[in-house]
Amino acid sequence: MLRIALQMLIGDRAKYITLVSGLAFVSLLFIQQGSVFCGLMLRTAKPIETVGAQIWVADPTLQSIDESKPLLDTDLTRVRSVPGVKWAVPLFMRQTQVRLKTGKFQTVRLFGLDNASLAGRPGKMLEGDTSALNSPDSVIIGKAESERLNSPKIGDTFEINDRLARVVGIADVPRDFLSNPYVYTTYDRALQYSPRQRKQLNFILVQAQDSLDPKELVETIKKSTGLAAYTKADMQWLTIGYYMKNTGIPINIGISLTLVFLVGMAIAGQTFYAFALQNERYFGALKAMGTSSFTLVKMILLQSLTVGIIGYSIGSGAGCLIGWVNQTGRLAFFTPYQLLLISFVITIVICMVSSLISIKRVLQLEPAVVFRS
């Protein structure tokens, strides 16, 4: 009987292709929209990933990596005195403007690294070396979005706050949510590049002693200093949560995914109903031959499951292909395996719910229908 069900499904080529292509399109849209959402949210935390510090210390009012209240310089000494701290260094991070040779201004994300250790420096250099930051007026440019700075090369110059900045290296850094170029320099030089404020220290980067759990040290820092402290993962989730709460991205993507679900239900439901109408003679004949209702339900569910799996496979494959093609492009795209699982469940749910229409009609079918002209 199950083989007959598959033959009935594939035998009607037009409806079979319509069902598979419709479900493939639904899967593709779901994965594409979900991957864009995941990609955008991950980009909000890219500066934290790029710096790579084990523990971040900030003002207790910190909301995200981009919404921080500066600390007092004496806070650095207080953190260094906490038991279990291997080292603690300052980090300056702020959006500031660069004046290019063309006279145009461009906002950049300026990193001021500890003068001695350069902790938080780029992990991979494409050109030059991070040690060159010790030379006067030197900066390192992130490759991503560097075209906004007219793609500078080593030796090129521009101005930050009316001060000369000379490029001494190009770093391989990811794109972040704000899509501004990264500019690295030393902490003292970063203070000169930025307008003077009463407090300038944005973050304190901390490394725990080797035998100490970073989470345990985080709690110790909080109790000892009254400051906020986060592990790298907690800092990333804090920033992601801030952008999810304070931007319209989750609502917009959520509306898109809801529409995808409804369109998928409409396509699959109508097609399954038309399929049941067209094949009611065959179902009626099977009933007349003594086939039980339970067997007929299994046949319809098998047909539904078959087109769901095939459609999902095609759609998810196309969605992953889009991500692979754009892995070095501007499109924010990340497809976690959880999204693939959710998409699979959604596709199967659409098929199962849509098949209920066919099941209802077949169960109400009179065997005598096979004798009608």
Side-chain angles (χ1 to χ4, degrees):
M1 286 299 172
L2 298 181
R3 191 173 67 177
I4 294 175
L6 294 178
Q7 289 175 341
M8 289 171 60
L9 174 67
I10 301 173
D12 191 343
R13 293 292 178 87
K15 289 187 173 55
Y16 172 69
I17 293 175
T18 301
L19 276 170
V20 170
S21 58
L23 292 171
F25 191 61
V26 167
S27 298
L28 170 62
L29 287 179
F30 193 89
I31 291 175
Q32 191 270 340
Q33 289 291 301
S35 297
V36 168
F37 174 75
C38 294
L40 286 173
M41 290 299 102
L42 282 182
R43 281 193 176 186
T44 63
K46 283 297 179 185
I48 304 165
E49 178 184 327
T50 304
V51 172
Q54 191 180 60
I55 296 174
W56 293 66
V57 179
D59 186 87
T61 60
L62 176 73
Q63 299 186 72
S64 75
I65 189 71
D66 297 309
E67 299 290 342
S68 64
K69 179 182 177 182
L71 301 167
L72 294 170
D73 292 339
T74 54
D75 289 331
L76 177 59
T77 305
R78 295 171 58 208
V79 172
R80 283 173 172 166
S81 66
V82 174
V85 172
K86 185 175 183 179
W87 52 257
V89 296
L91 176 69
F92 180 93
M93 184 188 295
R94 191 174 299 172
Q95 304 289 330
T96 189
Q97 284 196 321
V98 165
R99 185 175 186 273
L100 306 176
K101 284 187 175 181
T102 58
K104 293 183 178 179
F105 287 85
Q106 171 62 49
T107 301
V108 300
R109 186 185 292 275
L110 180 62
F111 292 84
L113 310 177
D114 177 54
N115 299 328
S117 65
L118 298 180
R121 60 185 176 276
K124 181 181 179 182
M125 294 294 295
L126 299 175
E127 298 179 44
D129 190 88
T130 53
S131 61
L133 284 178
N134 294 320
S135 58
D137 304 324
S138 57
V139 296
I140 290 175
I141 304 297
K143 181 65 176 177
E145 307 292 350
S146 62
E147 59 274 13
R148 295 189 177 193
L149 299 175
N150 296 331
S151 301
K153 297 178 175 56
I154 291 180
D156 289 350
T157 61
F158 48 78
E159 292 182 3
I160 308 177
N161 194 24
D162 294 330
R163 292 180 179 274
L164 180 68
R166 187 183 307 280
V167 178
V168 296
I170 309 294
D172 184 15
V173 297
R175 301 177 193 276
D176 68 14
F177 183 75
L178 300 179
S179 298
N180 289 326
Y182 285 11
V183 176
Y184 293 89
T185 189
T186 59
Y187 184 80
D188 288 346
R189 196 174 301 125
L191 298 183
Q192 298 172 2
Y193 282 150
S194 298
R196 189 67 186 172
Q197 296 182 4
R198 190 172 65 88
K199 295 190 290 185
Q200 299 275 55
L201 176 59
N202 296 102
F203 301 101
I204 298 172
L205 307 181
V206 176
Q207 179 73 26
Q209 291 180 355
D210 297 338
S211 59
L212 187 60
D213 184 353
K215 292 184 177 179
E216 184 179 340
L217 181 57
V218 163
E219 296 303 319
T220 305
I221 292 174
K222 289 179 181 177
K223 293 177 182 177
S224 302
T225 64
L227 300 173
Y230 304 91
T231 61
K232 177 185 173 183
D234 290 341
M235 187 74 174
Q236 289 175 311
W237 280 115
L238 176 74
T239 299
I240 291 173
Y242 173 82
Y243 279 95
M244 287 186 69
K245 182 180 178 182
N246 294 283
T247 66
I249 296 174
I251 296 176
N252 292 329
I253 296 293
I255 292 174
S256 298
L257 293 178
T258 303
L259 291 176
V260 168
F261 181 81
L262 294 177
V263 170
M265 286 286 294
I267 294 174
Q270 288 183 353
T271 309
F272 270 120
Y273 184 70
F275 183 80
L277 278 178
Q278 188 167 349
N279 292 281
E280 64 178 6
R281 282 178 168 273
Y282 302 112
F283 286 116
L286 290 172
K287 267 194 167 183
M289 289 186 290
T291 304
S292 66
S293 297
F294 180 67
T295 301
L296 294 178
V297 171
K298 284 199 299 183
M299 292 174 66
I300 295 173
L301 290 178
L302 176 65
Q303 293 170 340
S304 175
L305 193 62
T306 301
V307 294
I309 291 175
I310 295 175
Y312 168 78
S313 301
I314 297 173
S316 60
C320 293
L321 181 63
I322 292 175
W324 182 77
V325 171
N326 290 280
Q327 57 184 333
T328 58
R330 286 180 171 274
L331 178 64
F333 203 94
F334 176 68
T335 309
Y337 75 90
Q338 294 92 338
L339 179 62
L340 294 174
L341 291 176
I342 293 173
S343 175
F344 177 73
V345 172
I346 293 291
T347 304
I348 298 303
V349 168
I350 289 175
C351 293
M352 294 293 109
V353 174
S354 301
S355 64
L356 293 179
I357 302 173
S358 297
I359 291 174
K360 181 180 178 182
R361 183 166 185 84
V362 170
L363 292 179
Q364 295 175 343
L365 193 64
E366 293 293 336
V369 71
V370 71
F371 302 110
R372 294 176 186 169
S373 59

